[in-house]
Structures are given as C-alpha cells and as structure tokens.
C-alpha cells in the first residue's frame, strides 16, 4: 500500500502534467487565431471610400 503523502504527491504530479499539456495545446491554438476582425476592417475601408466619394 502507498503512504498517503506519496499518493497525494502522485495525484498532484498527474494533475500538474495534465495542466501543462492543456496549457501548451491551448497556447498553440491561440497562436493560430487572428485577433483582427477582417470583415469589419474591410467594411470600414469601404465606408471610408464611400464617404470620400459622395456626390451630394
């Protein structure tokens, strides 16, 4: 049988390892996401062009 202190250390190590893996996976996914709203930027550029070229 495993002593209570060793059991707690093993469980803590397991959760720390799981947390590290999840952190690395999450960081990798966040690096692939673009924070720039592309459609909004395009729409704002169109609006600015329309405002500059108004005929009235």
């Amino acid at each position: 049988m495993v002593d209570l202190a060793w059991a707690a250390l093993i469980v803590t190590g397991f959760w720390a390892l799981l947390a590290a893996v999840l952190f690395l996976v999450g960081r990798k996914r966040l690096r692939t996401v673009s924070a720039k709203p592309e459609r909004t930027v395009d729409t704002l550029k169109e609006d600015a062009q329309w405002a500059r070229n108004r005929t009235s």
Side-chain angles (χ1 to χ4, degrees):
M1 217 155 171
V2 178
D3 187 31
L4 184 61
W6 282 109
L9 184 63
I10 291 169
V11 170
T12 302
F14 169 76
W15 284 113
L17 180 63
L18 181 64
V21 168
L22 290 174
F23 172 78
L24 291 174
V25 169
R27 186 174 68 171
K28 182 179 178 184
R29 284 188 181 178
L30 277 175
R31 287 186 178 176
T32 63
V33 173
S34 174
K36 184 178 170 184
E38 298 292 338
R39 288 191 327 182
T40 303
V41 170
D42 292 340
T43 302
L44 288 174
K45 286 179 183 178
E46 290 174 9
D47 290 348
Q49 178 138 8
W50 177 83
R52 279 189 297 250
N53 296 330
R54 281 189 12 199
T55 56
S56 57

